[in-house]
Amino acid sequence: MLGIGILKGMAITAKNFFGSFVNKRLLPTLQYPEAGNSVTLFSRNIPFLVYDNDEDPLGTMRCVACKICEKECPPQCIYIVMEKDANGKPAKRPKVFDIDISVCMGCQICVEVCPFESIKMDSTFELSTPDRFEGLLLKREHLLKSNTYFHKIHPDEAQEVDDRLAAKQKKPAPTPSTPAA
Amino acid sequence: MIIAFSILSVIAVISALLAVRLRNLVHATLTLMAFFVALAGLFILLMAEFLAAVQILVYVGAVGILILFAIMLTQQVTGNVKEHIEAHGALWGLAGATAVLLTLLLPAILKTALPLQPVVETIDPSVRALGLNLMSPYAIALQVIALLLTAALLGAVVIAISPEKSEEEKKS
Amino acid sequence: MTPINPDQLIVQLTQWALSFLDSYPLVAVLVAILLSTVPLVAVFPICFAITTWLERKGLARIQNRIGPNRTGFLGMLQPIADGIKMLLKEDIVPKTSDRLAHFLAPVVLMVPAFTILSVLPFNRNMIPAAVDTGVILFFALGSVSTLAVFMAGWSSRNKYSLLGGMRAIAQMVSYELPLVLSGVTVIMMTGSLDTTKIVAQQQLSEWIQSSNAGLQCLGQIIGWNVFTPWGFAGFLIFFVASLAEINRCPFDLPEADSEIVAGHLTEYSGFKYALFFMSEYVSAFAINGLSTTLFLGGWSGPNIRPPWSDDPNALLIPGFVWFFAKMFALMLVMIWIRGTLPRLRVDHLMGFAWKFLLPLAIMNIFVGGFYYYAPRWHGIPVVGWPIGFLVMYLSYECIGRLNRGPKTAQRVYHYAS
């Protein structure tokens, strides 16, 4: 019969209409501020710096200011200055570690190249600020986040990293005696 | 009643004058439609609702729209102001018209005694009378008009079928 | 004191109020005019507000969204927020536009939209203007809106506006024919152009006045024109044509936003736009009210006589409740259709009106005539009903099949499987 297609279409929309009241799948909207967010395990946007001990963030940060990430960063949004102690000898940690997140494109290359597992991807997204210059230039203090936080947002990856670091800790014992040939 | 009549007739006269005088064709058509609507209002004052409704339906809804369509197909909607025909004999024309009115028409109007119509208290549904008249005494006229309109419709269809397309169809 | 009749309460109140003015006939006339027009101008904008909310929520649900939910409970204050936004917006008039016509267009659209409401019988004795030629007057005044749309399109001096205006004229003039012709069947069967008589003809007064409550209920329903073959076909034709007449989906070509910006509304902003928007909805209500009157029994619905009353015509539920319920039901179907069907192409639109709806409407008139004269058995149309239905169905199928375009070959996709 003619016109049956129209009726079929109407039935589908009616199904969507009534289904949206009972079926959660037919109403996927999340009421954002009230009903949380839809951050998944794999979501990532900007990097952060990992430290191990919650009591002493600056002392136990993994970064040694090797500046590999600064060099590798495609949009060049990382700026690192190594800290020097009283004698002018370089201390293996950054004095300045800035990331301009208005430039950062979330490519994760800094994470890939870091040999010390010290820079990882964050999944925070509420980054809006009224100041578009200073507010979007994240300093070392803003970027430092604990390993427990890392475990919270990306548990699998954090566990993997921890295992790797533990393996490295064991290995270095014989390393000095057998120098690389 | 008198107030409504005067307002409607003033609107009718002014819009009819504007329809003639305006240089912009669309404006002229729009004022013409205002005239039609005012006329429909006058019909309503005469308690001829059906006539008023038909006046609006046919003249505003159909004829006016047809005129607008025709205007949309023309090249120049607004007339060229420079080519305005300068008529200097307006005064003479007015004088002549007044003279005719005073000498011929006015005495004639005054002399004729119009028979006073009895005041109608209740009007029989005029549509019924109209329909009965159309169906019995004027049935043949109605049929002839219907035939004419059908012929016109068919003619329009024939014109609308473009000959090039039919040749293409023959080939294919 | 007469017993209270909920159905006629408003009418009785009006008459009671007017009885104080008996000694001032001129004032009484003015007050009577105000009492019949002010409710129209007050009620229908409220209905419009409710409908915009219903439409936004309903469309949202159809599209698996939530819809407005920030203003008030379930976003119910959204129409007020929209209204404030519209009023506060700047009224921008294009420099080269025809200012007078640009200004007058919303007014010309607004006046007939509200005027045509006055011939609709909302209840027994509740019709703002009881005229003999109600239906014709409705169609006549309704056709003025075409002019308003053209004025809006032409005066804006914008090619999109003009295109929208031209589309609107072509569409509205074409769809007026099936609209009127499907109404003609009802007029022919009733033998009157009076809307009150058309409603009265759809009620079985013997059943309504009987003492059995079930019969009273049924008598208000069984006579609706939509339950006859010509009435059913006529209702469908009327509904589809009215969709086109008020430029609603899927016939919203004049304001097709993906093709011609917003058609004749492109150059309108602020309050004038709001007026256009409101008139569109009010005329939608009006035309739904007319199809309710013509086919769905007007203000009659499942209703019984109040137990305390011995007036045979008294009703428990006021008739206007049923009228507005049916009107809103039709409005909801329009929203549903808007959420379902995509917009038609221009040539399809015209073809649909002239090659499908018009022949069907003319056929419907013949079926109506046959139904009227077909022999009946105890008043039941045993011959007229089945044969009329069969004829209408067959002509629907035949006209539909004749309209089928040439069969196109299956499209071959070269790069997509």
Side-chain angles (χ1 to χ4, degrees), chain B residues 27 33 53 65 68-69 72 127, chain C residues 98 133 136 140 147 150 154 169:
Chain B
H27 285 168
M33 301 232 217
I65 298 296
L68 283 177
F69 245 112
M72 281 295 107
V127 193
Chain C
D98 194 313
T133 52
I136 287 282
L147 183 65
F150 174 81
W154 181 79
I169 292 183

Side-chain angles (χ1 to χ4, degrees), chain C residues 28-365:
Chain C
V29 167
L30 277 177
V31 171
I33 290 172
L34 282 180
L35 278 178
S36 55
T37 49
V38 169
L40 281 189
V41 181
V43 167
F44 278 89
I46 294 171
C47 287
F48 156 66
I50 295 170
T51 314
T52 50
W53 177 78
L54 279 177
E55 179 149 19
R56 294 180 69 163
K57 283 301 245 190
L59 280 182
R61 287 285 172 172
I62 285 173
Q63 294 157 2
N64 299 346
R65 294 183 286 116
I66 291 173
N69 62 347
R70 297 281 141 173
T71 41
F73 176 66
L74 290 175
M76 274 183 179
L77 298 178
Q78 192 67 39
I80 297 172
D82 285 348
I84 293 171
K85 186 197 83 175
M86 289 279 191
L87 289 179
L88 293 181
K89 271 190 173 177
E90 188 190 354
D91 178 31
I92 302 167
V93 180
K95 202 175 173 185
T96 50
S97 74
D98 194 313
R99 282 181 174 261
L100 189 66
H102 192 266
F103 170 76
L104 278 179
V107 181
V108 173
L109 191 65
M110 187 89 169
V111 169
F114 274 100
T115 317
I116 50 181
L117 290 170
S118 62
V119 300
L120 298 177
F122 297 102
N123 196 355
R124 192 198 307 274
N125 304 327
M126 248 173 85
I127 172 165
V131 286
D132 290 331
T133 52
V135 182
I136 287 282
L137 209 61
F138 187 99
F139 289 132
L141 289 171
S143 68
V144 176
S145 60
T146 321
L147 183 65
V149 172
F150 174 81
M151 275 168 77
W154 181 79
S155 65
S156 296
R157 279 303 147 85
N158 177 325
K159 58 187 169 194
Y160 298 114
S161 294
L162 191 61
L163 275 176
M166 296 307 283
R167 278 185 180 192
I169 292 183
Q171 171 179 335
M172 286 158 115
V173 167
S174 306
Y175 276 85
E176 213 158 72
L177 283 167
L179 189 80
V180 174
L181 282 179
S182 55
V184 157
T185 323
V186 177
I187 294 163
M188 203 171 78
M189 304 300 277
T190 316
S192 174
L193 288 164
D194 193 346
T195 42
T196 45
K197 277 185 193 154
I198 290 172
V199 174
Q201 180 260 338
Q202 295 179 55
Q203 296 171 321
L204 294 181
S205 51
E206 293 150 34
W207 287 19
I208 292 167
Q209 284 162 9
S210 71
S211 55
N212 186 336
L215 275 186
Q216 285 170 21
C217 253
L218 209 59
Q220 297 267 19
I221 301 173
I222 201 87
W224 292 3
N225 283 335
V226 76
F227 297 129
T228 57
W230 52 269
F232 185 66
F235 174 65
L236 290 183
I237 298 168
F238 193 92
F239 186 70
V240 172
S242 70
L243 279 178
E245 195 65 16
I246 55 176
N247 302 333
R248 277 196 68 93
C249 263
F251 304 111
D252 58 344
L253 286 112
E255 46 196 280
D257 44 3
S258 54
E259 302 162 25
I260 48 172
V261 191
H264 58 280
L265 301 174
T266 308
E267 296 292 359
Y268 279 91
S269 57
F271 197 55
K272 286 181 196 158
Y273 181 81
L275 276 186
F276 263 107
F277 203 56
M278 181 152 98
S279 329
E280 237 160 64
Y281 274 86
V282 170
S283 43
F285 276 121
I287 211 143
N288 281 341
L290 188 70
S291 65
T292 301
T293 305
L294 291 181
F295 299 101
L296 298 178
W299 46 266
S300 51
N303 217 337
I304 54 164
R305 200 182 303 156
W308 60 82
S309 173
D310 48 0
D311 177 9
N313 284 323
L315 294 170
L316 187 62
I317 305 167
F320 56 83
V321 172
W322 289 116
F323 185 87
F324 278 95
K326 287 178 219 171
M327 208 168 71
F328 266 99
L330 286 178
M331 207 67 212
L332 288 180
V333 175
M334 284 188 171
I335 294 171
W336 184 13
I337 288 175
R338 183 175 166 195
T340 307
L341 298 178
R343 192 179 301 128
L344 261 72
R345 222 168 70 192
V346 177
D347 56 334
H348 289 177
L349 177 94
M350 288 313 210
F352 187 63
W354 291 100
K355 296 187 205 160
F356 185 75
L357 286 182
L358 190 65
L360 213 59
I362 291 171
M363 200 63 211
N364 197 27
I365 292 178

Side-chain angles (χ1 to χ4, degrees), chain B residues 58-169:
Chain B
V58 172
Y59 283 94
V60 179
V63 172
I65 298 296
L66 194 73
I67 295 173
L68 283 177
F69 245 112
I71 289 170
M72 281 295 107
L73 296 176
T74 54
Q75 290 285 323
Q76 208 171 10
V77 171
T78 313
N80 195 339
V81 184
K82 280 175 189 166
E83 288 174 14
H84 195 288
I85 301 162
E86 289 298 327
H88 297 291
L91 200 69
W92 290 111
L94 202 67
T98 319
V100 168
L101 183 76
L102 286 177
T103 52
L104 295 174
L105 289 176
L106 210 61
I109 292 167
L110 288 176
K111 260 180 210 165
T112 326
L114 290 169
L116 274 177
Q117 297 287 331
V119 178
V120 186
E121 282 299 325
T122 52
I123 289 188
D124 210 38
S126 57
V127 193
R128 180 171 288 275
L130 206 70
L132 286 175
N133 269 323
L134 272 182
M135 276 303 157
S136 44
Y138 301 109
I140 293 179
L142 189 75
Q143 298 296 322
V144 169
I145 291 170
L147 202 68
L148 191 72
L149 287 177
T150 316
L153 194 70
L154 290 177
V157 172
V158 169
I159 291 170
I161 298 171
S162 60
E164 294 159 37
K165 204 181 171 188
S166 60
E167 274 168 27
E168 274 177 15
E169 279 169 0

Side-chain angles (χ1 to χ4, degrees), chain A residues 23-139:
Chain A
N23 189 345
K24 200 90 180 96
R25 199 180 55 79
L26 288 179
L27 195 66
T29 313
L30 268 177
Q31 297 281 313
Y32 159 60
E34 292 97 15
N37 55 57
S38 60
V39 170
T40 65
L41 274 181
F42 306 102
S43 63
R44 58 184 171 94
N45 39 23
I46 58 158
F48 73 102
L49 293 174
V50 190
Y51 63 85
D52 288 316
N53 192 345
D54 283 348
E55 264 94 67
D56 182 18
L58 282 174
T60 58
M61 89 173 117
R62 293 178 185 167
C63 180
V64 296
C66 66
K67 295 194 184 183
I68 293 177
C69 53
E70 188 186 19
K71 289 192 186 78
E72 292 286 339
C73 179
Q76 301 190 353
C77 65
I78 303 176
Y79 175 66
I80 303 172
V81 174
M82 190 183 269
E83 191 164 325
K84 286 178 180 162
D85 61 7
N87 306 331
K89 215 179 143 200
K92 284 198 170 179
R93 57 202 185 97
K95 188 168 75 176
V96 178
F97 197 110
D98 293 348
I99 294 179
D100 188 350
I101 57 164
S102 66
V103 176
C104 173
M105 60 188 200
C107 62
Q108 212 180 339
I109 286 178
C110 50
V111 177
E112 308 287 340
V113 297
C114 183
F116 303 100
E117 312 280 3
S118 70
I119 191 163
K120 291 290 164 200
M121 292 309 278
D122 202 349
S123 63
T124 180
F125 56 91
E126 285 158 319
L127 297 161
S128 63
T129 162
D131 180 2
R132 68 187 168 122
F133 300 113
E134 289 304 313
L136 290 175
L137 185 69
L138 294 192
K139 305 278 185 203

